[in-house]
Amino acid sequence: MAQQRRVQLSTQRPTSTVCVLGTELSLDLCGSAPKDAVAFHVQGTPGVKLYVVHETQSIKLPSSVGRWPLAAGTEVLLAMDALSKDVGDEKVRISYFGEAGGVPVGRAMLYLTCVEVSLDADISRSGAVSRTLLDKTTWTWGPEGHGAILLVNCDRDDPEAEMPDNRDAAICSYADLKDMSQMVLRTRGPRTIFTGHRLVLHVDFGDADKVGVFYGGSSTTLEEYKHVLGGSKLAYALKPSRHQEESIFYVEGLAFPDVGFSGLVAFHVTLLESPEKGSLETPIFTDTVVFRVAPWIMTPNTLAPLEVFVCSVDDNEDFVTAVGALAEKAKCPLTVCPPPQNRQDRWIQDEVEFGYVQAPHKTFPVVFDSPRDRGLKDFPVRSILGPDFGYVARQAAEAASNLDSFGNLEVSPPVTVQGKEFPLGRILIGSSFPRFGGRRMAKAVKDFLVAQQVQAPVELFSDWLHVGHVDEFLSFVPAPDRKGFRLLLASPSACYQLLKEKQEEGFGEAAMFQGLEGVPKPTIMEILANEELRKFNYYAQSCISWNRDILKRTLGLAEPDIIDIPQLFRGDATTGAEAFFPDMVNMLVLGKHLGIPKPFGPQVGGRCCLEERVRELLEPLGLTCTFIDDYFSYHLLSGEVHCGTNVRRKPFAFKWWHMVP
Amino acid sequence: MAQQRRVQLSTQRPTSTVCVLGTELSLDLCGSAPKDAVAFHVQGTPGVKLYVVHETQSIKLPSSVGRWPLAAGTEVLLAMDALSKDVGDEKVRISYFGEAGGVPVGRAMLYLTCVEVSLDADISRSGAVSRTLLDKTTWTWGPEGHGAILLVNCDRDDPEAEMPDNRDAAICSYADLKDMSQMVLRTRGPRTIFTGHRLVLHVDFGDADKVGVFYGGSSTTLEEYKHVLGGSKLAYALKPSRHQEESIFYVEGLAFPDVGFSGLVAFHVTLLESPEKGSLETPIFTDTVVFRVAPWIMTPNTLAPLEVFVCSVDDNEDFVTAVGALAEKAKCPLTVCPPPQNRQDRWIQDEVEFGYVQAPHKTFPVVFDSPRDRGLKDFPVRSILGPDFGYVARQAAEAASNLDSFGNLEVSPPVTVQGKEFPLGRILIGSSFPRFGGRRMAKAVKDFLVAQQVQAPVELFSDWLHVGHVDEFLSFVPAPDRKGFRLLLASPSACYQLLKEKQEEGFGEAAMFQGLEGVPKPTIMEILANEELRKFNYYAQSCISWNRDILKRTLGLAEPDIIDIPQLFRGDATTGAEAFFPDMVNMLVLGKHLGIPKPFGPQVGGRCCLEERVRELLEPLGLTCTFIDDYFSYHLLSGEVHCGTNVRRKPFAFKWWHMVP
């Protein structure tokens, strides 16, 4: 429905007004009618399309009816199709007739100037601003959806700067400009009309702290770009210049969707008219364009690795070498975070999560910095944040718990659950539910993840673990068949079965932890005979089974989508569960190359029976297993390979705006 | 899809577990299989329904197939239909066979106890808790929707109390209990099974500050009711008693939907199992029920009045009498707020807005106290809040502006806009848009109104007025035809037309404000000749026309749904517009009885031509017009009849949960 504006007429003097291309004017017939008038006749110049709305019918003029009764419900609407060449070059005349008919009892003249005022953005998501017939005031999801997209300008294009680009109100480089979305104001028509009108670009009060708008006028030099809207600047008045029909604004997002911010931001341009010089101006047209701030998106193990991160600390040289070798196999660059930057904090999985933001015109990675602040605290801002590498963080309101570390934040590959598609997968976080009290992820982090909308989080039960991270009992690996992946779950039950099998085969005396100095070396028989350990693992298995049920339901998995990886846990009710031997599901997945914690299982026929079993389970999927010794350097400190590494991955080929959350 | 739980088996010793009615158990076949096993046979007692899932098919047992291959994808599922009479009275036996067949190589026994654990509420919205097959974990809108409803317990059933009932953690009366929604926990099955298990009722951390839950055990005396959940209480452990199969909890809402609170709250009951005494307990079943907190709903002029409010101040005795007489005509009780309570603040429309909350079991009125805090500041809490009369308020973050007064908060009658139904109408608020800067309603109030979801607010442009309220230029009156109402708009254009008509009829010398002492008395001719006034009214008309266009678009109105009420404004760019004579649209609507500010228009033939015109416009709709003199007592203080009165109205017959926002 076209925007419609009511125009007052007068029989005393001619009225002049503007008709904005694409809108309608509704003429206030009765308001200007002379007292005795009972009918009217209306005619316009060829550039004016006229309609009489009479008894709910809309009749295009000229029609066979010459005179229309002046009834309360009768309306005259007009629209114009072509821009005026001169001010007031089209007109409409209304003649009023009394009961007697014959000579008009009064006449109202309306002089019209047709102009174009349009605020445009990349509504069709093509990567460039174009005119469109799509509704600019709404934003819709899905492959047929429309609506412009903004990026949070959270990278740091200026290497000298301390903070991300969205913390300032300046343009530091053309690269900075390229992270922003264009918004174009088109003003066409006789230029003199604009000198008598005002055009104001504005943003709603509630949205103003979420965006920044820059404008360089007709200049292209960086210095000319000014911060014109956002923060305390709610409105910016422009004078369309004589020579320029398009004004290009650059819009940056300042904040990600979150509690109380859907991500939608509306900009308006309003045309103000003053009928005479010095008189009060009134709004006569507003055009609105809505942007959505792009969500932060996580990348599952099934996406190709682009960069592997590991920390170099005092005692982990071999581990770094092993991870480096695996990265090389996977043809993926390795970034080593050196001791001055990690301050002996090796848990880089826990400090950050790598994701990305995407708009049709631009995509860049964004690191999410966890509320966990240990030695690696400053690493993300100092060393990861940079040109086209963004940064976002959330703080915990109370002291951060173990469950706030991002080993407790994973994402599944794309899934379909009872017909509902999750083309970007679902986020998995650990919590104390269905227990009560206990530890939980900070509300600020959970709320942030939910607010991104595109990877609807699932809460798992991880508080039964001493550390409490979901990556202690699950992982995903790519697979050539079925859903394109398998869910790996740590399985005490599968481990007991394996050990019993080996005992029955006569290897009961085979001992674990061979070659590890100072580590007790229990045999298969001893492990099987340890009733306390068995009871505890029954408990651990129950907790994992509870999560298996949730995962099957929320990811739409069947049993054949799940692989049980033999694993034992130890602990008690107070301390919670820890891996009894290096926790194999806590692996590094680089394409088909898996870096798995070396379990140091019982040697059967010169081979570790745990490694053998894992190979049997995973190699048929085309995966290669590299077992990495992390025993002293990570395992004994309550973490493993996954906890000690991190991976930046390729964004999804699937565009997030094509989904329907 | 039924909740499913994976159960570990053992060939060493029998396993015992609980099967909750309505859920499935998935047996971990492979985990307990002896090394050489390649096939299995499964059989159960008659109370157990068994299924083998083999190669994606689900086969009910017993079947013609006796033995099933022990493949990775093969599952055994079981369900039970009837409660157990004794613990472990049903069983399942799995026999494993080797390649050779013949004698089993191992056997696993599972002893089962079927119990019922169910958390129920009034999911079907019938007014009472009942068992249901509807999904309790989701909440859906619409006539076919389901999901339980909570009221914010914001009334004050104890007359002695200072604060509303939801500010305490106590039950003060049975009336207090009746405002709450029931939530019933059913536990059936052999009672001894519950002594070996724990049942815990819990609420998510993020929801805990939005609700309070009370429990009286088997007692019905008020003193026994304890606050068991909500606030810092996240979980409540219960021991189902030997004699009681139903535990009734009473749930109250503490907060209305708002930014960051959708209104949905989930409660869970979790059954915890410890396989042996003293061993760690694991969750084996969770039932969840979701409630939505009922929104606060406004009532339009088309709903029947139940109570009229007016303030008695030093100089308005006649006004109070006139309003009282109108209320009597409308058969509606009058409540006069006396001077000690209003402290000479007569603007009761601005201080509060009356609305209501509704659940299937209970409905009561709720007064919304505006951030405007003048003489009437304490009146809502002191005198309106009471038994079954709730209270809600929002504070402005900055100093409240004129636009925060609730004369700037109205609601339309039910409308349909391009096919989209608004069966409870749409809220109308005034703002400075499409101007910029200027005054606006406090974000906290606007956010609250939006968050209620059921009366999607529309922003109008009211900042052009000196006071700045939407009730200065619009009102709604009931009508027997069309959409059931008319929108009345103040119209300078209609007023000029009327005056010109009267001048042309020879009444140019007729003067306004007859009988008003000390007030200048301009004639029709003088008014028509005042060019400054005409210009200003052209501006006022443009502003109202802008709103007319928005109202047509957002309420789906056509021209015949709108009536132009003659009105003039005066003022300038700095002060904004004020009514030139008493503002007739600022009326009190009590059913068919309208209390209209007496305009003191030019006397034509012994009658006020403005009153005459308004009667001509409104009486054909079956309305009666009573013109009330508010000139000195309200008009000169920048308000009129509507500003000086308030009305509590009958709730909609339409239930809010039947709509789809």
Side-chain angles (χ1 to χ4, degrees):
Chain A
M1 190 175 156
Q3 258 191 65
Q4 208 181 75
R5 180 166 67 92
R6 199 162 172 86
V7 174
Q8 301 170 54
L9 301 173
S10 165
T11 51
Q12 317 287 299
R13 64 193 75 77
T15 306
S16 294
T17 196
V18 155
C19 179
V20 177
L21 206 64
T23 70
E24 292 174 358
L25 299 182
S26 152
L27 307 186
D28 181 12
L29 276 186
C30 298
S32 63
K35 187 185 126 209
D36 301 324
V38 295
F40 69 94
H41 170 79
V42 54
Q43 70 187 130
T45 46
V48 185
K49 287 194 296 182
L50 279 166
Y51 302 82
V52 172
V53 184
H54 178 61
E55 282 171 359
T56 75
Q57 278 196 302
S58 174
I59 299 110
K60 192 172 190 316
L61 298 190
S63 80
S64 56
V65 181
R67 292 187 194 177
W68 299 89
L70 201 60
T74 304
E75 273 185 280
V76 170
L77 300 180
L78 72 84
M80 294 172 78
D81 275 345
L83 294 174
S84 289
K85 293 207 166 43
D86 294 303
V87 172
D89 63 0
E90 300 281 347
K91 40 187 178 286
V92 169
R93 187 179 66 185
I94 292 172
S95 310
Y96 293 100
F97 298 91
E99 286 287 1
V103 184
V105 293
R107 274 200 179 119
M109 284 297 297
L110 176 65
Y111 288 88
L112 290 160
T113 310
C114 182
V115 301
E116 181 179 8
V117 174
S118 176
L119 194 59
D120 293 300
D122 180 12
I123 306 297
S124 60
R125 303 168 184 168
S126 67
V129 178
S130 59
R131 296 299 317 257
T132 172
L133 290 174
L134 298 166
D135 180 7
K136 298 186 285 188
T137 65
T138 58
W139 200 102
T140 56
W141 295 89
E144 306 302 320
H146 70 268
I149 291 163
L150 270 190
L151 294 179
V152 178
N153 192 8
C154 60
D155 69 338
R156 180 172 55 190
D157 287 315
D158 176 5
E160 308 284 295
E162 291 252 311
M163 283 293 144
D165 295 343
N166 56 350
R167 306 274 183 95
D168 59 29
I171 300 280
C172 67
S173 63
Y174 289 104
D176 193 11
L177 223 45
K178 280 190 179 142
D179 297 335
M180 304 188 191
S181 298
Q182 289 195 4
M183 180 165 68
V184 176
L185 173 64
R186 285 175 225 269
T187 49
R188 296 198 297 151
R191 304 318 280 173
T192 47
I193 195 79
F194 292 109
T195 60
H197 289 71
R198 273 216 307 159
L199 265 172
V200 181
L201 190 70
H202 49 124
V203 61
D204 296 343
F205 173 69
D207 296 346
D209 59 339
K210 310 296 191 301
V211 288
V213 178
F214 295 87
Y215 181 51
S218 52
S219 168
T220 54
T221 59
L222 272 186
E223 292 67 32
E224 295 295 315
Y225 280 87
K226 286 190 179 57
H227 181 257
V228 296
L229 221 55
S232 60
K233 295 174 192 149
L234 298 179
Y236 176 69
L238 340 85
K239 282 266 166 226
S241 82
R242 186 165 289 271
H243 308 293
Q244 194 196 357
E245 294 188 335
E246 293 198 350
S247 309
I248 303 177
F249 295 85
Y250 289 84
V251 189
E252 66 176 3
L254 304 185
F256 280 94
D258 211 329
V259 169
F261 176 45
S262 68
L264 295 176
V265 179
F267 292 97
H268 318 277
V269 64
T270 293
L271 184 63
L272 295 153
E273 182 176 73
S274 1
E276 297 167 45
K277 261 214 150 52
S279 71
L280 287 163
E281 27 176 44
T282 49
I284 59 168
F285 173 73
T286 283
D287 202 24
T288 296
V289 64
V290 169
F291 287 83
R292 182 183 290 278
V293 174
W296 178 78
I297 300 171
M298 285 177 62
T299 53
N301 280 355
T302 45
L303 290 174
L306 296 177
E307 186 177 7
V308 178
F309 291 80
V310 67
C311 291
S312 159
V313 293
D314 285 352
D315 61 358
N316 75 339
E317 202 179 323
D318 292 350
F319 181 84
V320 172
T321 308
V323 169
L326 188 77
E328 206 177 317
K329 267 202 239 175
K331 298 194 173 56
C332 177
L334 178 77
T335 297
V336 178
C337 170
Q341 290 188 23
N342 66 50
R343 294 179 290 179
Q344 301 301 318
D345 178 3
R346 70 198 70 201
W347 309 113
I348 195 161
Q349 180 68 226
D350 289 341
E351 184 58 37
V352 295
E353 183 74 36
F354 290 104
Y356 68 94
V357 294
Q358 186 162 51
H361 69 286
K362 182 82 185 247
T363 302
F364 60 78
V366 174
V367 62
F368 185 13
D369 189 356
S370 83
R372 168 201 190 270
D373 280 334
R374 283 160 65 179
L376 279 161
K377 179 171 176 289
D378 300 327
F379 176 65
V381 167
R382 290 227 187 116
S383 308
I384 301 178
L385 172 61
D388 283 349
F389 209 131
Y391 172 90
V392 63
R394 284 294 178 275
Q395 302 304 323
E398 315 119 53
S401 86
N402 251 345
L403 272 59
D404 289 319
S405 292
F406 286 171
N408 196 30
L409 170 62
E410 297 299 317
V411 64
S412 81
V415 291
T416 300
V417 186
Q418 295 191 289
K420 164 101 186 109
E421 290 179 13
F422 296 91
L424 305 175
R426 298 190 72 169
I427 289 172
L428 305 174
I429 57 175
S431 87
S432 54
F433 183 82
R435 282 242 198 89
F436 0 90
R439 299 167 295 176
R440 61 185 155 259
M441 185 172 268
K443 190 169 183 304
V445 174
K446 202 177 127 183
D447 286 348
F448 171 84
L449 297 171
V450 170
Q452 306 313 304
Q453 292 195 63
V454 295
Q455 297 179 304
V458 172
E459 269 190 82
L460 298 174
F461 175 35
S462 68
D463 193 34
W464 61 279
L465 288 149
H466 171 63
V467 172
H469 297 173
V470 293
D471 71 349
E472 296 178 76
F473 63 85
L474 68 77
S475 187
F476 294 92
V477 293
D481 58 351
R482 298 189 60 87
K483 304 183 168 75
F485 68 88
R486 292 289 187 283
L487 166 65
L488 309 186
L489 287 178
S491 173
S493 164
C495 193
Y496 273 107
Q497 198 186 14
L498 173 66
L499 296 179
K500 207 162 112 266
E501 187 183 309
K502 295 302 162 194
Q503 184 187 34
E504 286 168 5
E505 287 171 10
F507 300 103
E509 297 298 335
M512 297 202 65
F513 304 134
Q514 297 294 344
L516 294 174
E517 209 172 317
V519 178
K521 298 187 170 50
T523 63
I524 289 180
M525 271 171 61
E526 283 165 358
I527 291 170
L528 291 176
N530 183 339
E531 274 305 306
E532 274 309 302
L533 188 68
R534 187 187 292 273
K535 266 190 208 164
F536 189 77
N537 274 284
Y538 184 91
Y539 163 71
Q541 182 63 63
S542 304
C543 296
I544 296 170
S545 294
W546 173 267
N547 286 311
R548 181 195 203 93
D549 299 338
I550 297 177
L551 287 160
K552 283 169 75 173
R553 206 160 56 229
T554 56
L555 302 183
L557 305 183
E559 280 297 323
D561 298 314
I562 304 174
I563 295 177
D564 290 304
I565 301 294
Q567 187 63 44
L568 293 183
F569 292 87
R570 62 189 169 78
D572 57 49
T574 24
T575 62
E578 291 201 272
F580 181 74
F581 53 80
D583 189 359
M584 291 190 286
V585 294
N586 195 275
M587 63 177 64
L588 172 62
V589 180
L590 302 177
K592 295 181 178 313
H593 301 274
L594 312 181
I596 305 174
K598 188 175 175 60
F600 292 95
Q603 297 282 325
V604 170
R607 289 179 159 185
C608 167
C609 66
L610 290 169
E611 291 187 19
E612 282 303 286
R613 176 54 53 92
V614 168
R615 282 188 206 280
E616 283 163 27
L617 291 167
L618 300 181
E619 286 179 354
L621 298 173
L623 301 166
T624 68
C625 302
T626 304
F627 291 91
I628 296 176
D629 177 3
D630 69 353
Y631 196 89
F632 292 108
S633 51
Y634 291 81
H635 172 68
L636 283 190
L637 305 170
S638 305
E640 314 281 357
V641 176
H642 188 255
C643 309
T645 56
N646 213 324
V647 186
R648 176 167 68 84
R649 298 182 187 275
K650 209 173 156 186
F652 284 100
F654 184 91
K655 308 297 181 205
W656 62 266
W657 52 86
H658 285 163
M659 75 174 285
V660 181
Chain B
M1 187 172 158
Q3 257 190 67
Q4 207 181 76
R5 179 165 68 93
R6 198 164 172 84
V7 174
Q8 301 170 53
L9 301 173
S10 166
T11 51
Q12 317 286 301
R13 62 193 75 79
T15 306
S16 294
T17 197
V18 154
C19 179
V20 177
L21 206 65
T23 71
E24 292 174 358
L25 299 183
S26 152
L27 306 186
D28 181 11
L29 277 187
C30 298
S32 63
K35 188 185 124 208
D36 301 325
V38 296
F40 68 94
H41 170 78
V42 54
Q43 69 186 132
T45 46
V48 185
K49 286 194 296 182
L50 279 166
Y51 302 84
V52 171
V53 184
H54 178 61
E55 284 173 359
T56 76
Q57 277 197 300
S58 175
I59 299 111
K60 192 172 189 316
L61 297 191
S63 80
S64 56
V65 181
R67 292 188 192 175
W68 299 88
L70 202 60
T74 303
E75 274 185 280
V76 170
L77 299 180
L78 73 82
M80 295 172 78
D81 275 345
L83 294 175
S84 288
K85 294 207 165 42
D86 294 304
V87 172
D89 62 0
E90 300 281 349
K91 38 188 178 287
V92 169
R93 188 179 65 187
I94 292 174
S95 309
Y96 293 101
F97 298 92
E99 286 286 2
V103 185
V105 294
R107 275 199 178 121
M109 286 295 299
L110 177 65
Y111 288 89
L112 292 159
T113 310
C114 182
V115 302
E116 181 179 7
V117 174
S118 176
L119 194 60
D120 294 300
D122 181 12
I123 306 296
S124 59
R125 303 168 184 170
S126 67
V129 178
S130 59
R131 296 297 318 254
T132 172
L133 290 174
L134 298 166
D135 180 7
K136 297 186 287 188
T137 66
T138 57
W139 200 102
T140 56
W141 295 89
E144 307 302 321
H146 69 268
I149 291 163
L150 270 190
L151 295 179
V152 178
N153 192 9
C154 60
D155 68 339
R156 180 172 54 191
D157 286 316
D158 176 5
E160 308 284 294
E162 288 252 311
M163 283 295 144
D165 295 342
N166 55 351
R167 305 278 183 92
D168 60 30
I171 300 279
C172 67
S173 62
Y174 289 104
D176 193 10
L177 223 45
K178 281 191 179 142
D179 296 336
M180 303 188 192
S181 298
Q182 289 194 6
M183 179 164 69
V184 176
L185 173 64
R186 285 174 226 270
T187 50
R188 296 197 296 151
R191 303 319 280 173
T192 47
I193 194 79
F194 291 109
T195 59
H197 288 71
R198 275 216 306 159
L199 266 172
V200 180
L201 189 71
H202 50 125
V203 62
D204 296 342
F205 174 70
D207 295 346
D209 58 339
K210 309 297 191 301
V211 288
V213 178
F214 295 86
Y215 181 51
S218 53
S219 166
T220 54
T221 58
L222 272 186
E223 292 67 30
E224 294 296 315
Y225 280 88
K226 285 189 179 54
H227 181 256
V228 295
L229 220 56
S232 60
K233 295 175 193 150
L234 298 179
Y236 176 70
L238 339 85
K239 283 267 167 226
S241 83
R242 186 166 289 271
H243 308 295
Q244 194 196 356
E245 294 188 336
E246 292 198 351
S247 308
I248 303 176
F249 295 85
Y250 288 85
V251 189
E252 66 176 4
L254 304 185
F256 280 95
D258 212 330
V259 169
F261 176 46
S262 68
L264 294 176
V265 178
F267 292 97
H268 317 277
V269 65
T270 292
L271 184 64
L272 295 153
E273 182 177 73
S274 3
E276 298 168 43
K277 260 214 150 55
S279 71
L280 286 163
E281 28 176 41
T282 49
I284 58 169
F285 173 73
T286 284
D287 201 25
T288 296
V289 64
V290 169
F291 287 83
R292 182 183 289 279
V293 174
W296 178 77
I297 299 171
M298 285 177 61
T299 53
N301 280 355
T302 44
L303 290 174
L306 296 177
E307 186 178 6
V308 178
F309 290 81
V310 67
C311 290
S312 159
V313 292
D314 284 352
D315 61 359
N316 75 340
E317 202 180 324
D318 292 350
F319 181 84
V320 173
T321 307
V323 168
L326 188 77
E328 205 177 316
K329 266 202 236 172
K331 298 194 175 52
C332 176
L334 178 77
T335 297
V336 179
C337 170
Q341 290 188 24
N342 65 49
R343 294 178 292 179
Q344 300 302 317
D345 178 4
R346 70 197 72 201
W347 309 113
I348 194 162
Q349 180 68 227
D350 289 340
E351 184 58 36
V352 294
E353 183 75 35
F354 291 104
Y356 68 93
V357 293
Q358 185 162 51
H361 68 287
K362 182 83 185 246
T363 302
F364 61 77
V366 174
V367 63
F368 185 13
D369 189 356
S370 83
R372 167 200 190 272
D373 281 333
R374 282 161 64 179
L376 280 161
K377 181 172 174 289
D378 300 327
F379 176 65
V381 167
R382 290 228 187 116
S383 308
I384 301 178
L385 171 63
D388 284 350
F389 209 130
Y391 173 89
V392 62
R394 283 296 177 274
Q395 301 304 322
E398 316 118 52
S401 85
N402 249 346
L403 272 59
D404 289 318
S405 292
F406 286 171
N408 197 31
L409 170 62
E410 297 298 316
V411 64
S412 81
V415 290
T416 300
V417 187
Q418 294 192 290
K420 165 101 187 106
E421 290 180 13
F422 296 91
L424 305 175
R426 298 190 72 169
I427 288 172
L428 305 174
I429 58 175
S431 87
S432 53
F433 182 83
R435 283 243 197 88
F436 0 90
R439 300 166 294 175
R440 61 185 154 259
M441 184 172 269
K443 189 168 183 305
V445 174
K446 202 177 126 183
D447 286 347
F448 171 84
L449 297 172
V450 170
Q452 307 312 306
Q453 292 195 62
V454 294
Q455 298 178 304
V458 172
E459 268 190 81
L460 298 174
F461 174 35
S462 69
D463 193 34
W464 60 279
L465 288 149
H466 172 64
V467 171
H469 297 173
V470 293
D471 72 349
E472 296 178 76
F473 63 84
L474 68 78
S475 186
F476 293 93
V477 293
D481 58 351
R482 298 188 60 87
K483 303 182 169 77
F485 68 88
R486 291 289 188 284
L487 165 65
L488 309 187
L489 287 178
S491 173
S493 162
C495 192
Y496 272 107
Q497 197 187 16
L498 172 66
L499 296 180
K500 208 164 110 263
E501 188 183 309
K502 295 302 162 194
Q503 184 188 35
E504 285 168 4
E505 288 171 7
F507 301 103
E509 297 297 335
M512 295 203 66
F513 304 134
Q514 297 294 345
L516 295 174
E517 208 173 318
V519 178
K521 297 185 172 50
T523 63
I524 289 179
M525 269 170 62
E526 282 165 357
I527 292 170
L528 291 176
N530 183 338
E531 273 307 304
E532 275 308 303
L533 188 69
R534 186 186 292 273
K535 267 190 210 167
F536 189 77
N537 275 283
Y538 184 92
Y539 163 71
Q541 182 64 60
S542 303
C543 296
I544 295 169
S545 295
W546 173 266
N547 286 309
R548 180 195 205 95
D549 298 338
I550 298 177
L551 287 160
K552 283 171 75 172
R553 206 160 55 230
T554 56
L555 302 182
L557 305 182
E559 280 296 323
D561 297 314
I562 304 175
I563 294 177
D564 290 304
I565 301 293
Q567 186 64 44
L568 294 183
F569 292 88
R570 62 188 168 79
D572 57 51
T574 23
T575 61
E578 291 200 273
F580 181 75
F581 53 81
D583 190 0
M584 291 191 285
V585 293
N586 195 276
M587 62 176 64
L588 172 63
V589 180
L590 302 177
K592 296 182 176 311
H593 300 275
L594 312 181
I596 304 173
K598 188 174 176 61
F600 291 96
Q603 297 281 327
V604 170
R607 289 177 159 187
C608 167
C609 67
L610 290 169
E611 291 188 20
E612 281 303 286
R613 176 55 54 89
V614 170
R615 282 187 205 280
E616 284 164 25
L617 290 167
L618 300 181
E619 285 180 354
L621 299 173
L623 301 166
T624 67
C625 302
T626 305
F627 291 89
I628 297 176
D629 177 4
D630 69 355
Y631 196 88
F632 292 107
S633 51
Y634 291 80
H635 172 69
L636 283 190
L637 305 170
S638 305
E640 313 281 357
V641 175
H642 187 255
C643 309
T645 56
N646 214 324
V647 185
R648 176 167 69 83
R649 297 181 187 275
K650 208 172 157 189
F652 284 99
F654 184 91
K655 308 299 181 202
W656 62 265
W657 52 86
H658 284 165
M659 76 173 285
V660 181

